[in-house]
Amino acid sequence: MIGSLSSLPLPDGDGTPPGSALYTDPLQDRLLEDYAIEVPIVPWPGPPQRLLRISAQIYNRTTDYRRLAAALQDLLEP
């Protein structure tokens, strides 16, 4: 991590190209709806590949990152 931002690769998505610039990944939607975690997931360099972007800011706590890790484990397990 350099500075306060980090991009983490995720397993490939379903390959659906974004419909618009306001596209949100289905995983991003699930994190928000099911876990109240708001974090951007972007197609990079293009679908189906994607990145999760996190920002380490003073208002975030270690417990927030642990909750994110646990939620990702729940949602990404086969």
Side-chain angles (χ1 to χ4, degrees):
M1 183 158 92
I2 299 174
S4 64
L5 293 174
S6 184
S7 296
L8 307 167
L10 291 172
D12 288 352
D14 65 7
T16 304
S20 75
L22 301 176
Y23 165 82
T24 60
D25 189 280
L27 178 59
Q28 181 177 339
D29 294 336
R30 291 280 313 275
L31 285 167
L32 182 58
E33 293 167 9
D34 298 350
Y35 297 88
I37 296 173
E38 190 168 1
V39 62
I41 297 174
V42 296
W44 185 264
Q49 297 170 315
R50 57 196 179 161
L51 295 174
L52 178 133
R53 301 276 318 253
I54 60 170
S55 177
Q57 296 295 329
I58 196 162
Y59 49 81
N60 292 334
R61 302 283 182 248
T62 303
T63 55
D64 296 325
Y65 300 107
R66 288 188 181 129
R67 278 186 349 109
L68 173 59
L72 288 171
Q73 282 183 316
D74 288 346
L75 295 172
L76 295 175
E77 284 184 346

